[in-house]
Amino acid sequence: MDRISKAAFRRLPRYHQILSAYEGVGREYISSRELSEILDINETLVRKDMADLQIRGKQNQGYSISTLRLRIEEFLGLQDITEALVVGAGHLGTALATYVGFEQYGLKIVGVLDNDPERIGSMIGTHEVVSIFRLASMIQKHAIKLIILTVPKAAAQELTDIAVKAGVIAVWNFTPQELNVPDGVRIRNEQIVGGFMALSHYLKNVSDKE
Amino acid sequence: MDRISKAAFRRLPRYHQILSAYEGVGREYISSRELSEILDINETLVRKDMADLQIRGKQNQGYSISTLRLRIEEFLGLQDITEALVVGAGHLGTALATYVGFEQYGLKIVGVLDNDPERIGSMIGTHEVVSIFRLASMIQKHAIKLIILTVPKAAAQELTDIAVKAGVIAVWNFTPQELNVPDGVRIRNEQIVGGFMALSHYLKNVSDKE
DNA sequence: TAGATTGTTAATCGATTAACAATC
DNA sequence: TAGATTGTTAATCGATTAACAATC
């Protein structure tokens, strides 16, 4: 069975991104040392992560970049197509709905919904924005398992309830609302403002020292 | 000195968000039990976090919501104004540049830059998009310490170098590029696609079991 | 061979949780 | 008083790192 630690799991996207970049310029192998320096983590930790992924390196050369990248993709299920709806067609929803990079990871946006009559019917990339009232029916029609939630905080829980009832089992939550869902439904909270808070704390302490 | 664990630090934005919501509806106290249930973490952990923040609760009532919120804001420096530039005026840059919620945390966007002649001169919210060639001069003029980077991956490192040379010491990085910066410069990587990867892994394992 | 590198084990470090005393 | 709750200590769990053997 595929099992790695939570902490290692969080490193996989970062490994993946470096591997893709190196593969793009034709490199074949990368050492744990190099990976550790780019990511600013310990070298042994990289080797441990590789061992957890059941990837073996070559003495004197390091790890095969393509093997490793494919292994991460397999592990994360990036080779399957995941169809998703973008719920909320504001700037952030638009950014996510039109981001072409997602294709590479198997994420396919199949619809964009909003509640604003002015937006409904307009085009976002190749998608016509449809009414939020069609959320449940679209989920059922396409057997959607994942929604990308970019609506105002006040609407987040209600729309999640509707989506879950219609069959969704994963919510990528870009709202600051802590969502309540039944067991078996997975939430990923982006809470973008959290990133700023970390930097704000740093900036405050730098200036305190001056 | 203000010192809490890394893990506790990551919980602060989530506490803060709940406290704001409860304060908005007029609640005065919240127990560690309630916080732990909303966030789906252990009750003792909440109390330990409070102790780390040097916040004391009241027996039988819990923690004062406003005291706790203010303490978190103080700790994170959210009461100071942080001026920042949005570098890259695509959909994501636009979303971040126009997000009104940032004000509440002291984040003030003072400019938006892009390299596309079609975009330069257009308005994003109250900001006129200016040429990326003015990056260094704008940083110096406003004594900017933080940039919000939403440019294509290929441009990320070069623009970071320019910004750091001009005086920036914090980069909120929404590109997938791992940035290389001198000591003393803090990077926060958003790597949005990482959130999808976590969900993709979950979805894969759910369907494998069927 | 010497050097570079992987892979593994044991030690250490950090975070979470259980247990329970204190108190309103 | 009994019940609800905080606050703290010690135990446990999980993650990282140091040390070092193996090997190309």
Side-chain angles (χ1 to χ4, degrees), chain A residues 2 74-77 80, chain B residues 200-208:
Chain A
D2 279 349
E74 181 208 355
F75 183 86
L76 294 173
D80 313 329
Chain B
S200 174
H201 175 74
Y202 173 72
L203 290 169
K204 171 171 181 275
N205 289 341
V206 167
S207 59
D208 279 0

Side-chain angles (χ1 to χ4, degrees), chain B residues 185-199:
Chain B
V185 176
R186 178 70 122 256
I187 303 287
R188 165 79 189 203
N189 292 313
E190 280 320 316
Q191 271 249 279
I192 286 177
V193 87
F196 169 68
M197 291 191 188
L199 292 169

Side-chain angles (χ1 to χ4, degrees), chain A residues 122-165:
Chain A
S122 70
M123 296 301 287
I124 289 184
T126 58
H127 301 286
E128 186 179 337
V129 178
V130 307
S131 166
I132 197 71
F133 292 113
R134 290 174 52 192
L135 180 57
S137 65
M138 282 188 77
I139 290 167
Q140 283 156 0
K141 181 173 156 207
H142 296 279
I144 297 289
K145 298 283 173 240
L146 167 68
I147 59 168
I148 303 176
L149 201 60
T150 66
V151 298
K153 184 179 167 185
Q157 183 65 60
E158 188 190 347
L159 293 172
T160 300
D161 292 345
I162 293 169
V164 167
K165 200 180 276 183

Side-chain angles (χ1 to χ4, degrees), chain A residues 66-104:
Chain A
S66 63
T67 306
L68 184 47
R69 178 181 61 74
L70 286 167
R71 175 67 183 115
I72 291 175
E73 290 179 3
E74 181 208 355
F75 183 86
L76 294 173
L78 303 182
Q79 285 155 357
D80 313 329
I81 301 290
T82 302
E83 294 190 323
L85 297 177
V86 171
V87 182
H91 288 302
L92 182 58
T94 302
L96 294 168
T98 57
Y99 182 54
V100 290
F102 286 151
E103 273 172 36
Q104 178 186 356

Side-chain angles (χ1 to χ4, degrees), chain A residues 156-157 160-161 164 168-171 178-187, chain B residues 40:
Chain A
Q157 183 65 60
T160 300
D161 292 345
V164 167
V168 157
I169 56 171
V171 178
E178 295 286 337
L179 299 171
N180 215 275
V181 290
D183 283 358
V185 176
R186 178 69 122 256
I187 304 287
Chain B
D40 207 12

